[in-house]
Amino acid sequence: MDRYSHVARALHWIMAILILFNLFLGFAHDALPREWKVMPVHKSIGLTVLALTVARIMWRFTRSAPPLPAEMPAWEKGTAHLTHFAFYAFMLVLPLTGWVMTSAGDRPLNWFFLFDVPKFAVAKGDAIVGISGEAHEVLGFVWVALLILHGLAAMRHHFILKDGVLRRMV
């Protein structure tokens, strides 16, 4: 059975944990205690996801993915490729829209309180800031839906089809 490399699997699972936790923080931040400093942590995780995504894309361009099962229908292979492309887009766009929104605010942007991160040259009234804010929120909900479908598809491959697709990444 062909599997993803150790690096690809590590990046996948580390990023999966960071992304799921960050989505939780983004949706639940108003309900959590202010002293937990949820939003600075949310922003730091978002920046981490962005950096890891760039690393993951570079890794992916230099390594090929294991082939999908030959018996998998073409529509399913196409859906898998489209979903993975969408995930990469989300892993880039969501952190970038958050960075743009934060750049327009008066609060500092730092990485886990260790060092400051430069802000984009935008202001609160700029169209890009409004678009980024709306996109960040809407895409967060869309991403949750895609992640649920991704998990369900993985379970289908493992428990129903028993085709080894999930074992490639574990």
Side-chain angles (χ1 to χ4, degrees):
M1 169 185 54
D2 289 326
R3 295 179 75 181
Y4 282 92
S5 69
H6 291 292
V7 172
R9 284 182 281 151
L11 283 169
H12 176 274
W13 291 108
I14 289 167
M15 292 180 73
I17 291 165
L18 289 173
I19 289 164
L20 290 171
F21 185 61
N22 222 28
L23 285 166
F24 166 76
L25 291 179
F27 290 124
H29 73 275
D30 286 334
L32 298 172
R34 288 185 74 76
E35 59 270 10
W36 286 9
K37 300 185 186 221
V38 171
M39 288 315 292
V41 172
H42 174 79
K43 294 170 188 178
S44 295
I45 292 172
L47 291 168
T48 304
V49 166
L50 181 61
L52 288 174
T53 300
V54 171
R56 189 170 175 177
I57 290 170
M58 291 189 317
W59 182 262
R60 181 65 184 85
F61 278 140
T62 62
R63 314 286 188 298
S64 59
L68 292 167
E71 65 276 3
M72 184 182 283
W75 71 265
E76 200 168 352
K77 288 180 182 179
T79 301
H81 293 305
L82 182 63
T83 301
H84 286 107
F85 177 80
F87 280 1
Y88 282 107
F90 278 79
M91 290 185 292
L92 292 170
V93 172
L94 259 87
L96 287 171
T97 56
W99 194 350
V100 169
M101 287 187 325
T102 299
S103 295
D106 54 358
R107 293 189 178 122
L109 177 60
N110 57 55
W111 190 74
F112 293 108
F113 311 102
L114 296 174
F115 58 85
D116 287 339
V117 175
K119 290 182 170 187
F120 294 115
V122 295
K124 283 192 184 198
D126 294 348
I128 189 71
V129 174
I131 292 167
S132 291
E134 289 299 318
H136 196 74
E137 185 174 340
V138 170
L139 291 176
F141 284 106
V142 174
W143 205 2
V144 167
L146 279 176
L147 288 168
I148 290 169
L149 288 174
H150 182 65
L152 291 172
M155 296 300 105
R156 175 180 169 262
H157 281 282
H158 189 70
F159 293 111
I160 297 171
L161 300 177
K162 299 179 190 214
D163 59 8
V165 168
L166 178 63
R167 286 193 302 274
R168 299 170 345 139
M169 191 49 82
V170 292

